[in-house]
Amino acid sequence: KMLRRVLFTALFMGALPSLAEVSQGHISVVLLGATGDLAKKYLWQGLFQLYMDQVSSGHSFTFHGAALTALEPGQRLMFDVLKKLACPPDESPNRCAVLKDQFLKLSQYHQLKSAENYTVLNREIETLLRQEGLKEAGRIFYFSVPPFAYTEIARHINSSCRPPPGAWLRVVLEKPFGHDLESAQQLAAELTSFFREEEMYRVDHYLGKQAVAHILPFRDQNRQFLDPIWNRHHVERVEIVLKETVDAKGRTSFYEQYGVIRDVLQNHLTEALMFLTMELPANVSRAEEVLQRKLQAFQSLRGLEKNSAVLGQYQAYASQVQEELQKAQDYLSTTPTFAGVLVHSDNLRWEGVPFLLTSGKALDERVGYVRVLFKNRAYCTQSETLRDAEHSQCKAKQIIFYIGHGALKTPAVLVSRNLFRPVMPEGSWREAVSQSDLHIFGQPLSDYYVYSPVKERDAYSVLISNIYHGRKDFFITTENLLASWGFWTPLLDSISHQPLRLYPGGVENQHLLDFEMVSGEVAFTLAEPVELLNPHRLMPSDYRTIQSKFRQSPLVSAWSEDLISQLASDIEKTASRTVAHSGQFHLALSGGSSPVVLFQRLARHHYAFPWKHTHIWLVDERCVPLSDIESNFFRLHNHLLQNVRVPYFNVHPMPVHLNQRLCVEEDRGTELYAKEIMALVANASFDLVLLGVGTDGHTASLFPRSENGLEGAQTVVLTESPVKPHQRMSLSLSLINKARQVFVLVLGKGKHDITTLLSRVGHEPRKWPISGVSPSSGQLVWYVDYEALLG
C-alpha cells in the first residue's frame, strides 16, 4: 500500500512517530494551476514546508497537482519543479532527503478539465483512503488560476469533489477578487452559491509577511506600553509603504486592468492599515473577534475624494503597453503606476491622524514598511551631540514594522529606545546585533531596539500553515473584502480620467513624486508642469462662457468638485458677513444625498467658519427616528455636526419623533418647530436656506401636487412622498421664500432632464415645486454642475 510504505520508510529514517500515533486522519491537498508561475515560485515550496512541519502531527497527506495540460506533459512539468524543492538550512541532510523523497512519492498530477475529471479525482481519493484504511480529515483546494475560472471549478468541486460528511473543506482563492465593488459582489455571490463562508480562504500574501503578521501580536503583548500612546493625542502620522524598483514590463495586460491602487493599496496596504487601526479584541487568537474588529475599523474610515490621492506613471509604461498589447502609437494609458493616498479614520482613537498609503513601480528602492511616528513635545537644552538615544526625549520616537528588502534586507521590528523596550516572543523573534553604519529614517540603528525573526519564512509557507490550522484571521472574509472595495471604489471612479504625473523611473525621479498634506488633501510638493495624458479631455475652463443666469437668477456652474468648493466658500462668506453684522447666522439645510459632499467639504476645509455663532436648522425630515440611517439629521450629524463645533443648543432637528410615535398630527410637531423658528429667527427669515431638486421637480419635501406647503401661510407642514419613507416634515414655500438667501444645489447627469425642463417653465409650483422658490426680499442663486447642465 503506497501510503503505508511511505510512512514506514519515514519511520525507519527517524522522521515520524510510530504508525499508531498517525490517527488524526488524512488530508488531500489539490493544487489547481500546479504548473503555473505562482506554483513554481512559491506554492510547491510552501506545501513541502507544510509537509516537513506536520509530518509528525498525526495527519497523513497526499498532494494532487492539477492543471488543464494533458497528463504526460503536465506530469513532466510538475515533477521538474518538485525535484528542485529545498529544505531550510537548519534541516539535517538525511532528514531532508527522506522527506523530499516521500513528498515526491505522495504527489501526483491530474488533468482537470471537465466535470468527469473531478469525479475521477474524487473516486481516486476515496479508493486510496479505503485501501489504506484511513479516515479523511479534510481537503484543501488551492485555486492558483485566474478568477474567471473560479466559478466553473467551484461548481465541479461542489457537485462531485467534496469530502464526505465529517471532513472539512478549505478552498483557497488568490487575488484579484474583482476590480471594484460591483464585480467583487458578483464574484462573491457566485462563490457563496457553492461554498460556505468558513470554507473560503482568500489569500493576501502580505498577511503572511512576518513583520505584518506580527503587528497584532505586538500590540497585544505590549498593551501596557501602547495603551496610553496608541491614539491621536500621541501619534503624529502613519506611513504604510511598498516601493518597487521593477516596472510592469511583461505584466501590462494585467496592469492595464488593475493599476497600482487595485494591485497593492486596496489589499496589501489596506490590510496593514486594519491591523494598526482596529480596536484590539480581548483575545487576538480568536479569529471571529479579530475579523469583527477589522470590519468595525473599515466602517470608521472616512470616504476618499479625488484630492485624497496623487498619481503618477513611469514614462516607459505607455510604450510597453503599446508593444505588449498591440495598441496604436497614439494610445494613451491613464493607468497609475504610482499612488500616494491620504486616509483618515473618524473614530475617537484616530481622528485627525493622517495615514499615508504609498506604492509604486520603477522607484528608487525596493522596500516595504509600516511606520508609526509619534509626536514629540519635548525641548532638550542639551546639545544634540551629547544626547543619549535611550533617554533623550528630543530624538524621533517611532515604531517600524520593516517588511523586508531595503537597507535591512530582512523583516524586522524596530522601536525607538526613548519609547520603551518591547516585549517580543523569544521563540520566534530575537534582538539583532546593531550595525553601526546603518541608518533608518535618518537615525542610526543603535537608536532602536531591533528584532528580527529567529527563522525567516516565506509568506506563502506561513499562509499555507495557517490554512492547515484553519486560522481564518489571516485571510480575507467576504464581508471584509466588500468593505474594502466599498471604501476604494469611489476613489477609483473619481480618478479614472485624472491626469498623471510622468516620472522617469529609479533614482532619476529625485523629488518628482514627493507629496505633502494640505487641509486634508494631498498634492505633489513640486509645482512643475504636469504632462496631461489626455489633453483633449474638456476641462472646467472650457465651459467658462456658459450663461451666468438660470431662471432669471444668478447661476454658478463648474465640475461638481469645483462647484462644491465654490458653494462651501460662498456659504462661509455669507456666514461670516452675517455674524459680523448681527452676531448669529441661521442656516437651514436640506436632506438627500447631494449635500453630503458639501457637508464633508465644510467640515474638512473651512476652519474659519463661525460655527460657534451658527444655528443649524433642517429644511425637511423623513418621519423616522433621528438615529435611523434614512434620517436627514443622521446624515447631517455623521458628515458635518460631529466634525465641527456647533454649540449643542444651536442645533435644531425637526421634531418628527414625539411620544414614541412618528409624525402624528395630534403631537403638533409642526407647530413646535414653527414656534421655535419664530422664537429664535428674526422675522422667521433664515439667513440662508440650502435646497436641492428632485428629478420630479420637488424641493425640500414639497412634492408635485402636494396638499400642504405649496400654498397658504402655514410655515411647517407634514407631507407625503411618492417614495419610502412616505411621511415627511418640511418647511413650506412661504417660509423658504422669506429667507434672505436661497442656494439651490443640482448635481449629476440624472438631473439633466429636470434642469432642462426648469430652464423653460414659468412659476408653476403645483407641477414643479422648485419653480415656486422666489425669495420675496432675498436672493436666489443656482449652483448647477456641468453634468446636470449639459448632460
Side-chain angles (χ1 to χ4, degrees):
K1 293 181 177 181
M2 186 266 290
L3 273 182
R4 197 162 289 271
R5 283 200 304 273
V6 169
L7 293 173
F8 268 123
T9 307
L11 173 63
F12 178 74
M13 294 299 294
L16 290 176
S18 68
L19 273 178
E21 294 176 41
V22 185
S23 59
Q24 291 188 34
H26 183 77
I27 296 173
S28 304
V29 181
V30 183
L31 175 55
L32 298 139
T35 57
D37 194 45
L38 185 64
K40 290 177 189 175
K41 283 184 179 177
Y42 301 110
L43 300 183
W44 279 118
Q45 185 64 49
L47 291 172
F48 181 43
Q49 184 66 53
L50 174 71
Y51 182 65
M52 287 188 284
D53 292 343
Q54 302 301 331
V55 69
S56 305
S57 69
H59 283 123
S60 58
F61 293 86
T62 47
F63 298 90
H64 304 266
L68 298 174
T69 311
L71 187 62
E72 283 189 23
Q75 203 163 11
R76 189 167 57 250
L77 283 168
M78 188 182 96
F79 278 94
D80 284 346
V81 176
L82 299 191
K83 288 169 188 173
K84 295 173 186 173
L85 294 175
C87 294
D90 58 351
E91 193 67 76
S92 73
N94 283 350
R95 187 172 189 270
C96 177
V98 169
L99 292 178
K100 185 173 176 181
D101 181 58
Q102 303 317 312
F103 185 78
L104 264 67
K105 287 178 179 174
L106 294 170
S107 301
Q108 52 187 299
Y109 177 81
H110 306 262
Q111 183 185 32
L112 290 184
K113 202 171 183 179
S114 65
E116 178 61 25
N117 295 148
Y118 285 84
T119 304
V120 170
L121 171 62
N122 185 62
R123 194 181 304 131
E124 286 182 15
I125 292 172
E126 289 176 346
T127 302
L128 178 66
L129 295 179
R130 191 167 53 251
Q131 289 172 351
E132 302 291 347
L134 291 169
K135 182 183 178 183
E136 187 161 16
R139 294 183 192 179
I140 297 172
F141 285 87
Y142 201 119
F143 286 40
S144 181
V145 296
F148 65 76
Y150 283 3
T151 304
E152 185 182 358
I153 294 171
R155 184 180 293 108
H156 293 324
I157 292 170
N158 186 55
S159 63
S160 58
C161 218
R162 273 187 171 273
W168 46 256
L169 172 66
R170 290 174 191 156
V171 175
V172 188
L173 305 162
E174 279 283 344
K175 78 175 185 76
F177 311 116
H179 62 272
D180 57 14
L181 178 59
E182 185 180 357
S183 59
Q185 287 171 326
Q186 183 180 345
L187 181 57
E190 289 168 356
L191 290 171
T192 51
S193 66
F194 302 115
F195 304 126
R196 296 190 300 274
E197 180 63 36
E198 63 268 22
E199 294 175 331
M200 291 186 283
Y201 289 69
R202 291 183 184 84
V203 169
D204 183 329
H205 78 273
Y206 250 60
L207 297 183
K209 298 280 187 183
Q210 285 168 289
V212 176
H214 195 62
I215 294 174
L216 273 190
F218 179 89
R219 289 181 59 194
D220 182 49
Q221 292 153 16
N222 291 278
R223 286 181 193 248
Q224 58 178 321
F225 305 118
L226 291 174
D227 274 357
I229 62 172
W230 200 255
N231 55 58
R232 61 192 168 102
H233 302 297
H234 295 271
V235 175
E236 181 180 313
R237 64 199 265 177
V238 177
E239 299 166 2
I240 306 173
V241 175
L242 174 60
K243 294 168 65 178
E244 297 182 88
T245 53
V246 297
D247 60 19
K249 189 172 184 179
R251 293 185 69 225
T252 56
S253 61
F254 167 83
Y255 223 76
E256 268 297 271
Q257 294 181 65
Y258 291 93
V260 67
I261 294 180
R262 291 181 173 92
D263 188 35
V264 178
L265 279 78
Q266 178 271 328
N267 37 70
H268 305 330
L269 303 195
T270 300
E271 287 302 313
L273 174 69
M274 293 299 100
F275 283 161
L276 293 169
T277 58
M278 63 182 272
E279 293 299 309
L280 276 183
N283 184 352
V284 296
S285 298
R286 287 183 59 84
E288 319 84 63
E289 289 185 32
V290 171
L291 293 168
Q292 193 56 40
R293 293 299 175 92
K294 275 177 69 176
L295 191 61
Q296 290 168 3
F298 267 119
Q299 291 164 348
S300 295
L301 295 179
R302 185 187 297 172
L304 296 172
E305 300 173 5
K306 188 165 70 174
N307 291 336
S308 302
V310 288
L311 305 171
Q313 185 188 94
Y314 66 84
Q315 287 171 347
Y317 179 76
S319 60
Q320 290 170 353
V321 170
Q322 290 167 6
E323 180 184 342
E324 292 178 20
L325 304 183
Q326 284 83 52
K327 297 289 186 181
Q329 286 297 309
D330 60 350
Y331 175 78
L332 291 169
S333 169
T334 55
T335 301
T337 61
F338 169 84
V341 179
L342 175 60
V343 176
H344 282 99
S345 174
D346 280 335
N347 69 15
L348 284 176
R349 181 184 294 277
W350 295 114
E351 187 180 26
V353 177
F355 291 82
L356 293 169
L357 278 59
T358 305
S359 185
K361 291 192 172 294
L363 302 182
D364 60 309
E365 62 175 337
R366 183 186 184 191
V367 68
Y369 60 84
V370 175
R371 180 189 183 206
V372 182
L373 183 65
F374 292 86
K375 295 175 181 177
N376 200 323
R377 298 184 175 89
Y379 170 77
C380 296
T381 310
Q382 186 85 322
S383 70
E384 188 176 347
T385 54
L386 298 174
R387 291 176 195 162
D388 172 12
E390 193 157 353
H391 299 106
S392 172
Q393 291 303 304
C394 281
K395 290 211 169 191
K397 301 176 183 182
Q398 48 197 332
I399 297 172
I400 303 158
F401 299 94
Y402 204 87
I403 298 166
H405 305 290
L408 291 182
K409 298 180 172 58
T410 180
V413 176
L414 300 89
V415 180
S416 293
R417 289 181 178 271
N418 57 2
L419 266 177
F420 57 86
R421 176 185 279 276
V423 176
M424 297 291 283
E426 289 182 13
S428 51
W429 292 80
R430 63 180 167 216
E431 192 164 1
V433 179
S434 176
Q435 298 167 274
S436 58
D437 58 327
L438 275 183
H439 282 67
I440 301 292
F441 298 112
Q443 290 181 266
L445 212 55
S446 58
D447 281 6
Y448 303 93
Y449 295 111
V450 183
Y451 296 85
S452 58
V454 171
K455 186 177 181 180
E456 203 169 325
R457 297 192 65 182
D458 169 69
Y460 279 98
S461 295
V462 173
L463 291 173
I464 287 170
S465 174
N466 288 326
I467 294 162
Y468 166 78
H469 287 291
R471 287 289 307 272
K472 285 282 287 182
D473 49 324
F474 280 84
F475 300 89
I476 314 301
T477 64
T478 301
E479 211 171 8
N480 277 276
L481 172 71
L482 299 182
S484 179
W485 276 121
F487 174 65
W488 285 101
T489 297
L491 175 69
L492 289 164
D493 290 343
S494 70
I495 62 172
S496 56
H497 298 293
Q498 188 169 324
L500 307 176
R501 172 161 291 194
L502 295 180
Y503 58 97
V507 293
E508 293 179 38
N509 294 334
Q510 297 184 26
H511 299 295
L512 261 180
L513 298 178
D514 293 353
F515 59 92
E516 61 186 347
M517 299 170 284
V518 181
S519 300
E521 300 177 351
V522 284
F524 286 116
T525 54
L526 281 185
E528 292 184 355
V530 179
E531 194 170 332
L532 296 182
L533 294 183
N534 190 355
H536 304 299
R537 181 173 180 263
L538 293 169
M539 302 304 288
S541 56
D542 296 310
Y543 289 117
R544 282 179 186 155
T545 56
I546 288 174
Q547 73 274 17
S548 58
K549 291 275 185 182
F550 184 79
R551 293 182 55 82
Q552 290 79 54
S553 294
L555 168 69
V556 180
S557 54
W559 293 113
S560 60
E561 196 167 325
D562 297 325
L563 184 72
I564 292 296
S565 176
Q566 183 63 53
L567 175 56
S569 295
D570 290 349
I571 292 174
E572 182 182 331
K573 287 174 189 170
T574 303
S576 299
R577 195 166 53 242
T578 305
V579 168
H581 180 261
S582 60
Q584 53 187 0
F585 174 60
H586 288 275
L587 171 65
L589 297 169
S590 281
S593 56
S594 292
V596 167
V597 284
L598 172 67
F599 298 160
Q600 292 170 341
R601 181 85 196 177
L602 287 168
R604 296 174 197 172
H605 300 279
H606 291 266
Y607 300 107
F609 199 104
W611 294 114
K612 186 178 178 182
H613 305 284
T614 298
H615 284 257
I616 303 287
W617 301 84
L618 272 289
V619 168
D620 64 325
E621 182 57 279
R622 299 165 182 200
C623 293
V624 295
L626 298 186
S627 57
D628 192 297
I629 58 170
E630 292 281 345
S631 163
N632 289 340
F633 181 79
F634 181 84
R635 193 170 290 183
L636 175 66
H637 175 269
N638 274 15
H639 296 289
L640 179 64
L641 296 181
Q642 70 175 356
N643 299 312
V644 297
R645 294 185 177 176
V646 179
Y648 175 79
F649 295 108
N650 287 11
V651 179
H652 309 281
M654 281 186 157
V656 293
H657 198 184
L658 298 171
N659 302 320
Q660 297 183 328
R661 50 190 187 173
L662 295 163
C663 294
V664 175
E665 283 194 34
E666 291 80 13
D667 294 331
R668 299 186 173 181
T670 55
E671 289 181 35
L672 286 173
Y673 208 55
K675 285 177 182 177
E676 191 175 4
I677 293 168
M678 289 298 295
L680 296 174
V681 182
N683 301 319
S685 297
F686 290 108
D687 297 305
L688 195 154
V689 173
L690 177 72
L691 299 175
V693 179
T695 53
D696 59 354
H698 83 265
T699 192
S701 280
L702 303 172
F703 297 91
R705 289 167 291 281
S706 176
E707 292 181 11
N708 301 319
L710 296 178
E711 298 168 344
Q714 199 174 356
T715 55
V716 184
V717 295
L718 292 177
T719 66
E720 289 283 325
S721 165
V723 295
K724 291 183 178 179
H726 295 299
Q727 278 192 302
R728 307 288 175 94
M729 186 179 288
S730 179
L731 303 187
S732 68
L733 270 183
S734 66
L735 183 60
I736 290 169
N737 284 332
K738 290 179 74 174
R740 291 181 174 85
Q741 281 199 294
V742 177
F743 292 171
V744 181
L745 175 62
V746 190
L747 298 177
K749 282 185 181 178
K751 302 288 177 68
H752 176 61
D753 289 346
I754 188 65
T755 303
T756 304
L757 180 67
L758 290 173
S759 69
R760 299 167 182 162
V761 302
H763 180 87
E764 297 183 66
R766 295 288 300 169
K767 281 188 177 180
W768 300 286
I770 187 65
S771 71
V773 176
S774 179
S776 53
S777 58
Q779 184 187 35
L780 171 63
V781 183
W782 292 82
Y783 291 80
V784 187
D785 77 348
Y786 290 141
E787 289 190 327
L789 198 62
L790 305 171

